[in-house]
Amino acid sequence: RVQVMESGGGSVQAGGSLTLSCAFSGPVYCMAWFRQAPAKEREGVAAITPAHHIYYAGPVKGRFTISEDYDKHTMSLEMNSLQVEDSGVYYCAARWRTCDISAPDKFEDWGQGTQVTVSS
């Protein structure tokens, strides 16, 4: 198990940008971002593996970019053209198997989350 810490959340107007960062206390295989809006289920946003296989959820494709430094056990999520619907708590997570962001319950290690608020 590893410790997970997110940073970089905040408030921004629609159309703006934010970058989230995540640090793990040790090596992991799949690094992923999830988000949860009030009264909604947690949903996958993006994920990346050491082989640089990258996965994006449909609503964020073309707007969000995930990147990693596996040597430093860190990951970032650059979010551009933010929309009000992107608001929520963003979580960083890790697991040692496939990067299936449709199944958040299969991820073993989670951060506390960081709030992203996009206003119109």
mmCIF file of all heavy atoms in Angstrom, residues 24 26-32 47-55 66-75 93-97 99:
data_model
loop_
_atom_site.group_PDB
_atom_site.id
_atom_site.type_symbol
_atom_site.label_atom_id
_atom_site.label_comp_id
_atom_site.label_asym_id
_atom_site.label_seq_id
_atom_site.Cartn_x
_atom_site.Cartn_y
_atom_site.Cartn_z
ATOM 1 N N PHE A 24 2.890 9.870 -4.777
ATOM 2 C CA PHE A 24 2.758 8.577 -4.117
ATOM 3 C C PHE A 24 4.002 8.327 -3.270
ATOM 4 O O PHE A 24 5.097 8.744 -3.631
ATOM 5 C CB PHE A 24 2.619 7.459 -5.160
ATOM 6 C CG PHE A 24 1.426 7.612 -6.064
ATOM 7 C CD1 PHE A 24 1.513 8.353 -7.223
ATOM 8 C CD2 PHE A 24 0.215 7.012 -5.751
ATOM 9 C CE1 PHE A 24 0.419 8.503 -8.071
ATOM 10 C CE2 PHE A 24 -0.883 7.150 -6.587
ATOM 11 C CZ PHE A 24 -0.775 7.903 -7.743
ATOM 12 N N GLY A 26 5.451 5.561 -2.838
ATOM 13 C CA GLY A 26 6.253 4.489 -3.388
ATOM 14 C C GLY A 26 5.817 4.153 -4.791
ATOM 15 O O GLY A 26 4.929 4.813 -5.343
ATOM 16 N N PRO A 27 6.424 3.167 -5.397
ATOM 17 C CA PRO A 27 6.074 2.802 -6.773
ATOM 18 C C PRO A 27 4.681 2.200 -6.869
ATOM 19 O O PRO A 27 4.231 1.498 -5.965
ATOM 20 C CB PRO A 27 7.156 1.773 -7.144
ATOM 21 C CG PRO A 27 7.632 1.232 -5.844
ATOM 22 C CD PRO A 27 7.516 2.341 -4.862
ATOM 23 N N VAL A 28 4.018 2.506 -7.971
ATOM 24 C CA VAL A 28 2.701 1.942 -8.257
ATOM 25 C C VAL A 28 2.677 1.546 -9.722
ATOM 26 O O VAL A 28 3.592 1.865 -10.482
ATOM 27 C CB VAL A 28 1.564 2.942 -7.968
ATOM 28 C CG1 VAL A 28 1.521 3.290 -6.486
ATOM 29 C CG2 VAL A 28 1.734 4.193 -8.813
ATOM 30 N N TYR A 29 1.605 0.877 -10.144
ATOM 31 C CA TYR A 29 1.480 0.526 -11.554
ATOM 32 C C TYR A 29 0.548 1.514 -12.251
ATOM 33 O O TYR A 29 0.981 2.369 -12.999
ATOM 34 C CB TYR A 29 0.976 -0.908 -11.711
ATOM 35 C CG TYR A 29 0.736 -1.289 -13.143
ATOM 36 C CD1 TYR A 29 1.805 -1.469 -14.012
ATOM 37 C CD2 TYR A 29 -0.559 -1.433 -13.640
ATOM 38 C CE1 TYR A 29 1.580 -1.783 -15.348
ATOM 39 C CE2 TYR A 29 -0.783 -1.747 -14.971
ATOM 40 C CZ TYR A 29 0.301 -1.920 -15.815
ATOM 41 O OH TYR A 29 0.084 -2.211 -17.136
ATOM 42 N N CYS A 30 -0.709 1.421 -11.991
ATOM 43 C CA CYS A 30 -1.660 2.325 -12.625
ATOM 44 C C CYS A 30 -1.897 3.541 -11.744
ATOM 45 O O CYS A 30 -2.244 3.403 -10.576
ATOM 46 C CB CYS A 30 -2.980 1.604 -12.866
ATOM 47 S SG CYS A 30 -4.291 2.680 -13.472
ATOM 48 N N MET A 31 -1.691 4.722 -12.298
ATOM 49 C CA MET A 31 -2.006 5.966 -11.615
ATOM 50 C C MET A 31 -3.267 6.524 -12.276
ATOM 51 O O MET A 31 -3.335 6.592 -13.502
ATOM 52 C CB MET A 31 -0.888 6.983 -11.760
ATOM 53 C CG MET A 31 0.450 6.580 -11.209
ATOM 54 S SD MET A 31 1.620 7.974 -11.426
ATOM 55 C CE MET A 31 3.130 7.249 -10.858
ATOM 56 N N ALA A 32 -4.207 6.960 -11.471
ATOM 57 C CA ALA A 32 -5.468 7.410 -12.061
ATOM 58 C C ALA A 32 -6.050 8.598 -11.315
ATOM 59 O O ALA A 32 -5.742 8.832 -10.148
ATOM 60 C CB ALA A 32 -6.481 6.266 -12.053
ATOM 61 N N ALA A 47 -6.181 7.918 -16.651
ATOM 62 C CA ALA A 47 -5.244 6.998 -16.019
ATOM 63 C C ALA A 47 -4.041 6.798 -16.935
ATOM 64 O O ALA A 47 -4.117 7.024 -18.149
ATOM 65 C CB ALA A 47 -5.906 5.654 -15.732
ATOM 66 N N ILE A 48 -2.944 6.339 -16.316
ATOM 67 C CA ILE A 48 -1.718 6.138 -17.075
ATOM 68 C C ILE A 48 -0.930 4.990 -16.462
ATOM 69 O O ILE A 48 -0.984 4.772 -15.248
ATOM 70 C CB ILE A 48 -0.876 7.445 -17.104
ATOM 71 C CG1 ILE A 48 0.276 7.353 -18.102
ATOM 72 C CG2 ILE A 48 -0.387 7.814 -15.709
ATOM 73 C CD1 ILE A 48 0.927 8.699 -18.387
ATOM 74 N N THR A 49 -0.219 4.245 -17.301
ATOM 75 C CA THR A 49 0.593 3.124 -16.834
ATOM 76 C C THR A 49 2.070 3.398 -17.123
ATOM 77 O O THR A 49 2.406 4.326 -17.865
ATOM 78 C CB THR A 49 0.203 1.833 -17.569
ATOM 79 O OG1 THR A 49 0.646 1.926 -18.940
ATOM 80 C CG2 THR A 49 -1.305 1.610 -17.550
ATOM 81 N N PRO A 50 2.965 2.582 -16.563
ATOM 82 C CA PRO A 50 4.401 2.770 -16.838
ATOM 83 C C PRO A 50 4.740 2.634 -18.321
ATOM 84 O O PRO A 50 5.713 3.234 -18.786
ATOM 85 C CB PRO A 50 5.060 1.662 -16.023
ATOM 86 C CG PRO A 50 4.104 1.361 -14.937
ATOM 87 C CD PRO A 50 2.746 1.547 -15.541
ATOM 88 N N ALA A 51 3.959 1.862 -19.062
ATOM 89 C CA ALA A 51 4.191 1.714 -20.497
ATOM 90 C C ALA A 51 3.586 2.866 -21.286
ATOM 91 O O ALA A 51 3.595 2.862 -22.511
ATOM 92 C CB ALA A 51 3.604 0.396 -20.987
ATOM 93 N N HIS A 52 3.089 3.832 -20.550
ATOM 94 C CA HIS A 52 2.484 5.038 -21.138
ATOM 95 C C HIS A 52 1.187 4.744 -21.880
ATOM 96 O O HIS A 52 0.857 5.460 -22.848
ATOM 97 C CB HIS A 52 3.470 5.781 -22.037
ATOM 98 C CG HIS A 52 3.715 7.174 -21.562
ATOM 99 N ND1 HIS A 52 3.128 8.272 -22.151
ATOM 100 C CD2 HIS A 52 4.440 7.643 -20.542
ATOM 101 C CE1 HIS A 52 3.509 9.355 -21.496
ATOM 102 N NE2 HIS A 52 4.317 8.995 -20.525
ATOM 103 N N HIS A 53 0.476 3.725 -21.441
ATOM 104 C CA HIS A 53 -0.888 3.574 -21.927
ATOM 105 C C HIS A 53 -1.730 4.587 -21.181
ATOM 106 O O HIS A 53 -1.696 4.653 -19.954
ATOM 107 C CB HIS A 53 -1.394 2.153 -21.676
ATOM 108 C CG HIS A 53 -0.637 1.137 -22.452
ATOM 109 N ND1 HIS A 53 -0.152 -0.031 -21.889
ATOM 110 C CD2 HIS A 53 -0.260 1.090 -23.749
ATOM 111 C CE1 HIS A 53 0.489 -0.732 -22.804
ATOM 112 N NE2 HIS A 53 0.440 -0.078 -23.937
ATOM 113 N N ILE A 54 -2.472 5.388 -21.930
ATOM 114 C CA ILE A 54 -3.247 6.482 -21.339
ATOM 115 C C ILE A 54 -4.723 6.278 -21.650
ATOM 116 O O ILE A 54 -5.089 5.911 -22.770
ATOM 117 C CB ILE A 54 -2.751 7.837 -21.874
ATOM 118 C CG1 ILE A 54 -1.311 8.082 -21.418
ATOM 119 C CG2 ILE A 54 -3.659 8.967 -21.422
ATOM 120 C CD1 ILE A 54 -0.688 9.338 -21.991
ATOM 121 N N TYR A 55 -5.535 6.540 -20.648
ATOM 122 C CA TYR A 55 -6.977 6.381 -20.782
ATOM 123 C C TYR A 55 -7.653 7.670 -20.333
ATOM 124 O O TYR A 55 -7.264 8.244 -19.316
ATOM 125 C CB TYR A 55 -7.474 5.222 -19.915
ATOM 126 C CG TYR A 55 -6.703 3.946 -20.131
ATOM 127 C CD1 TYR A 55 -5.550 3.684 -19.396
ATOM 128 C CD2 TYR A 55 -7.118 3.006 -21.075
ATOM 129 C CE1 TYR A 55 -4.831 2.521 -19.599
ATOM 130 C CE2 TYR A 55 -6.395 1.836 -21.272
ATOM 131 C CZ TYR A 55 -5.255 1.599 -20.539
ATOM 132 O OH TYR A 55 -4.543 0.446 -20.755
ATOM 133 N N ILE A 66 -3.021 13.917 -18.924
ATOM 134 C CA ILE A 66 -2.392 13.260 -17.784
ATOM 135 C C ILE A 66 -0.928 13.016 -18.115
ATOM 136 O O ILE A 66 -0.574 12.699 -19.261
ATOM 137 C CB ILE A 66 -3.112 11.935 -17.438
ATOM 138 C CG1 ILE A 66 -2.617 11.370 -16.116
ATOM 139 C CG2 ILE A 66 -2.994 10.928 -18.570
ATOM 140 C CD1 ILE A 66 -3.436 10.178 -15.614
ATOM 141 N N SER A 67 -0.063 13.192 -17.124
ATOM 142 C CA SER A 67 1.354 12.926 -17.314
ATOM 143 C C SER A 67 1.921 12.357 -16.025
ATOM 144 O O SER A 67 1.301 12.484 -14.964
ATOM 145 C CB SER A 67 2.098 14.191 -17.726
ATOM 146 O OG SER A 67 1.976 15.178 -16.722
ATOM 147 N N GLU A 68 3.075 11.758 -16.118
ATOM 148 C CA GLU A 68 3.634 11.097 -14.947
ATOM 149 C C GLU A 68 5.158 11.143 -14.957
ATOM 150 O O GLU A 68 5.785 11.355 -16.004
ATOM 151 C CB GLU A 68 3.179 9.631 -14.899
ATOM 152 C CG GLU A 68 3.378 8.842 -16.176
ATOM 153 C CD GLU A 68 4.825 8.464 -16.498
ATOM 154 O OE1 GLU A 68 5.662 8.437 -15.573
ATOM 155 O OE2 GLU A 68 5.114 8.192 -17.673
ATOM 156 N N ASP A 69 5.702 10.940 -13.781
ATOM 157 C CA ASP A 69 7.128 10.694 -13.613
ATOM 158 C C ASP A 69 7.223 9.499 -12.678
ATOM 159 O O ASP A 69 7.170 9.648 -11.461
ATOM 160 C CB ASP A 69 7.836 11.918 -13.033
ATOM 161 C CG ASP A 69 9.343 11.729 -12.973
ATOM 162 O OD1 ASP A 69 9.807 10.576 -12.870
ATOM 163 O OD2 ASP A 69 10.067 12.731 -13.008
ATOM 164 N N TYR A 70 7.328 8.326 -13.261
ATOM 165 C CA TYR A 70 7.314 7.118 -12.441
ATOM 166 C C TYR A 70 8.534 7.022 -11.541
ATOM 167 O O TYR A 70 8.484 6.430 -10.473
ATOM 168 C CB TYR A 70 7.168 5.869 -13.314
ATOM 169 C CG TYR A 70 5.730 5.471 -13.536
ATOM 170 C CD1 TYR A 70 5.001 5.967 -14.608
ATOM 171 C CD2 TYR A 70 5.083 4.627 -12.650
ATOM 172 C CE1 TYR A 70 3.675 5.614 -14.798
ATOM 173 C CE2 TYR A 70 3.753 4.272 -12.818
ATOM 174 C CZ TYR A 70 3.056 4.779 -13.899
ATOM 175 O OH TYR A 70 1.734 4.437 -14.079
ATOM 176 N N ASP A 71 9.653 7.605 -11.970
ATOM 177 C CA ASP A 71 10.850 7.567 -11.122
ATOM 178 C C ASP A 71 10.622 8.343 -9.828
ATOM 179 O O ASP A 71 11.171 8.002 -8.779
ATOM 180 C CB ASP A 71 12.050 8.129 -11.879
ATOM 181 C CG ASP A 71 12.519 7.202 -12.982
ATOM 182 O OD1 ASP A 71 12.227 5.987 -12.901
ATOM 183 O OD2 ASP A 71 13.164 7.685 -13.931
ATOM 184 N N LYS A 72 9.845 9.419 -9.922
ATOM 185 C CA LYS A 72 9.567 10.253 -8.756
ATOM 186 C C LYS A 72 8.228 9.898 -8.114
ATOM 187 O O LYS A 72 7.861 10.504 -7.106
ATOM 188 C CB LYS A 72 9.569 11.727 -9.152
ATOM 189 C CG LYS A 72 10.923 12.237 -9.628
ATOM 190 C CD LYS A 72 10.867 13.716 -9.964
ATOM 191 C CE LYS A 72 12.230 14.223 -10.415
ATOM 192 N NZ LYS A 72 12.201 15.661 -10.795
ATOM 193 N N HIS A 73 7.517 8.956 -8.687
ATOM 194 C CA HIS A 73 6.203 8.528 -8.175
ATOM 195 C C HIS A 73 5.226 9.703 -8.139
ATOM 196 O O HIS A 73 4.524 9.919 -7.139
ATOM 197 C CB HIS A 73 6.318 7.917 -6.775
ATOM 198 C CG HIS A 73 7.435 6.943 -6.632
ATOM 199 N ND1 HIS A 73 7.699 5.938 -7.531
ATOM 200 C CD2 HIS A 73 8.391 6.824 -5.676
ATOM 201 C CE1 HIS A 73 8.753 5.252 -7.149
ATOM 202 N NE2 HIS A 73 9.193 5.767 -6.024
ATOM 203 N N THR A 74 5.208 10.490 -9.192
ATOM 204 C CA THR A 74 4.299 11.631 -9.253
ATOM 205 C C THR A 74 3.491 11.621 -10.540
ATOM 206 O O THR A 74 3.867 10.997 -11.525
ATOM 207 C CB THR A 74 5.051 12.968 -9.154
ATOM 208 O OG1 THR A 74 5.986 13.052 -10.236
ATOM 209 C CG2 THR A 74 5.797 13.096 -7.833
ATOM 210 N N MET A 75 2.394 12.338 -10.515
ATOM 211 C CA MET A 75 1.488 12.391 -11.646
ATOM 212 C C MET A 75 0.815 13.754 -11.664
ATOM 213 O O MET A 75 0.657 14.377 -10.606
ATOM 214 C CB MET A 75 0.433 11.289 -11.499
ATOM 215 C CG MET A 75 -0.701 11.343 -12.503
ATOM 216 S SD MET A 75 -1.833 9.972 -12.311
ATOM 217 C CE MET A 75 -2.588 10.338 -10.733
ATOM 218 N N ALA A 93 -5.586 8.028 -7.380
ATOM 219 C CA ALA A 93 -5.676 6.648 -6.910
ATOM 220 C C ALA A 93 -4.659 5.781 -7.628
ATOM 221 O O ALA A 93 -4.171 6.139 -8.709
ATOM 222 C CB ALA A 93 -7.076 6.096 -7.135
ATOM 223 N N ALA A 94 -4.384 4.635 -7.031
ATOM 224 C CA ALA A 94 -3.402 3.721 -7.611
ATOM 225 C C ALA A 94 -3.851 2.278 -7.438
ATOM 226 O O ALA A 94 -4.574 1.946 -6.506
ATOM 227 C CB ALA A 94 -2.045 3.914 -6.939
ATOM 228 N N ARG A 95 -3.433 1.463 -8.373
ATOM 229 C CA ARG A 95 -3.620 0.033 -8.214
ATOM 230 C C ARG A 95 -2.502 -0.693 -8.955
ATOM 231 O O ARG A 95 -1.802 -0.111 -9.787
ATOM 232 C CB ARG A 95 -4.998 -0.416 -8.717
ATOM 233 C CG ARG A 95 -5.185 -0.435 -10.194
ATOM 234 C CD ARG A 95 -6.548 -0.997 -10.574
ATOM 235 N NE ARG A 95 -6.744 -2.358 -10.076
ATOM 236 C CZ ARG A 95 -7.425 -3.286 -10.748
ATOM 237 N NH1 ARG A 95 -7.981 -3.012 -11.907
ATOM 238 N NH2 ARG A 95 -7.592 -4.496 -10.226
ATOM 239 N N TRP A 96 -2.350 -1.977 -8.634
ATOM 240 C CA TRP A 96 -1.269 -2.765 -9.198
ATOM 241 C C TRP A 96 -1.702 -3.632 -10.367
ATOM 242 O O TRP A 96 -0.940 -4.476 -10.819
ATOM 243 C CB TRP A 96 -0.611 -3.625 -8.118
ATOM 244 C CG TRP A 96 0.307 -2.813 -7.283
ATOM 245 C CD1 TRP A 96 0.011 -2.194 -6.111
ATOM 246 C CD2 TRP A 96 1.661 -2.465 -7.587
ATOM 247 N NE1 TRP A 96 1.109 -1.514 -5.650
ATOM 248 C CE2 TRP A 96 2.132 -1.658 -6.538
ATOM 249 C CE3 TRP A 96 2.531 -2.772 -8.641
ATOM 250 C CZ2 TRP A 96 3.421 -1.150 -6.507
ATOM 251 C CZ3 TRP A 96 3.816 -2.273 -8.616
ATOM 252 C CH2 TRP A 96 4.250 -1.472 -7.558
ATOM 253 N N ARG A 97 -2.897 -3.396 -10.845
ATOM 254 C CA ARG A 97 -3.373 -4.160 -12.007
ATOM 255 C C ARG A 97 -3.847 -3.208 -13.087
ATOM 256 O O ARG A 97 -3.467 -2.047 -13.121
ATOM 257 C CB ARG A 97 -4.466 -5.127 -11.561
ATOM 258 C CG ARG A 97 -3.940 -6.215 -10.657
ATOM 259 C CD ARG A 97 -4.935 -7.321 -10.482
ATOM 260 N NE ARG A 97 -4.362 -8.407 -9.693
ATOM 261 C CZ ARG A 97 -4.980 -9.541 -9.456
ATOM 262 N NH1 ARG A 97 -6.198 -9.756 -9.948
ATOM 263 N NH2 ARG A 97 -4.420 -10.481 -8.742
ATOM 264 N N CYS A 99 -5.573 -0.648 -15.642
ATOM 265 C CA CYS A 99 -6.095 0.695 -15.431
ATOM 266 C C CYS A 99 -7.532 0.776 -15.917
ATOM 267 O O CYS A 99 -7.800 1.394 -16.930
ATOM 268 C CB CYS A 99 -5.247 1.701 -16.190
ATOM 269 S SG CYS A 99 -3.888 2.389 -15.268
#
